[in-house]
């Protein structure tokens, strides 16, 4: 049981390199949602493993065993390891919960500030133009969704480049990319090894919007030029926005521009997809099996079943 619980805690360490390889080998949209789904599942399994360690450690103590209607404290095969692991898991869960609460509160404050700023701008359909000397453009989720662009950003681009920029931001809204970015933030707060995956998921979202914008305007070179100019202009942007509000000027822009200027080609990604699936499935099976084993041991300790 102990070895099974360690697997969900160790497997997230394999996701950052797998996520980068996935983005290189599959389409950006497929990479975005497959990596996001794996990150969320791995984060959930690791949290479940920590909780199972805590529960096992508590039920080994006579006081908590009595509260759980156990005839005798819970028995496990590795008593020397379980209690220290439970203590460490309590600290890890407390740290994760505190980090997650701080992240949620910070993102909520940024979202309120961004929506308040957008409310002061001129609105035409889904487009909101904010009078600001700082160039910026981003897709603001909510009801309704808004594409927010500052007057300074509009002055930095010509007509066709503006069209490409707005197509990019509308692609974020249409693709619901803010859900993937919010999920990546959640996963990063649940396991430290998943924090580098946030950057990969953000890059995948930007590249997916880049490709959609290129299709919309019918010119990959124009889209690349618009993204590059927007990024150069937006380096000093100070517009308040939450981390799950994607913007055209974020991420490794040279990498994105190079991808736009390179003709897309079909690639086989069976191996990397199989590794992603295997890593996630192994974590899910290990955490579920270990949890079921603990549940069975609890029933035995309660006298409901014989060993």
């Amino acid at each position: 049981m102990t070895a099974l619980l360690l697997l969900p805690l160790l497997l997230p360490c394999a996701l950052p390199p797998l996520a980068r390889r996935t983005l290189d080998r599959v389409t950006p949209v497929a990479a975005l949602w497959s990596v996001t789904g794996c990150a969320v599942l791995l984060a959930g399994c690791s949290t479940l493993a920590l909780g199972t360690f805590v529960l096992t450690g508590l039920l080994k103590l006579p006081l908590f065993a009595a509260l759980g209607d156990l005839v005798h404290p819970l028995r496990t095969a590795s008593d020397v390891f379980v209690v220290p692991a439970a203590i460490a898991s309590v600290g890890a869960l407390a740290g994760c919960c505190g980090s997650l609460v701080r992240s949620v509160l910070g993102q909520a404050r940024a979202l309120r500030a961004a929506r308040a700023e957008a409310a002061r701008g001129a609105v035409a359909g889904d487009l909101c133009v904010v009078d600001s000397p700082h160039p910026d453009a981003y897709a603001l989720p909510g009801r309704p969704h808004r594409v927010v662009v500052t007057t300074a950003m509009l002055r930095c681009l010509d007509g066709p480049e503006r069209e490409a920029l707005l197509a990019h931001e509308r692609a974020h809204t249409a693709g619901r990319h803010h859900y993937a970015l919010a999920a990546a933030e959640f996963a990063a707060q649940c396991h430290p090894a998943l924090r580098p995956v946030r950057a990969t998921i953000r890059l995948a979202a930007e590249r997916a919007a880049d490709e959609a914008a290129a299709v919309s305007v019918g010119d990959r070179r124009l889209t690349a030029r618009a993204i590059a100019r927007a990024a150069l202009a937006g380096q000093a942007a100070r517009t308040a926005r939450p981390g799950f509000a994607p913007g055209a000027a974020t991420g490794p822009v040279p990498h994105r521009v190079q991808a736009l200027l390179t003709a897309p080609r079909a690639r086989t990604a069976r191996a990397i997809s199989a590794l992603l699936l295997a890593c996630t499935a192994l974590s899910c099976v290990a955490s579920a099996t270990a949890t079921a084993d603990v549940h069975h041991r609890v029933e035995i300790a309660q006298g409901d079943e014989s060993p």
Side-chain angles (χ1 to χ4, degrees), residues 285-306:
V285 170
S287 58
T289 303
T291 303
D293 179 72
V294 170
H295 180 265
H296 179 65
R297 291 176 184 275
V298 169
E299 288 184 332
I300 294 175
Q302 288 174 331
D304 296 337
E305 292 186 11
S306 59

Side-chain angles (χ1 to χ4, degrees), residues 22-46:
T22 301
L23 183 55
D24 290 337
R25 293 184 174 271
V26 304
T27 63
V29 172
L32 172 65
W33 293 110
S34 61
V35 172
T36 301
C38 290
V40 171
L41 286 174
L42 288 174
C45 290
S46 66

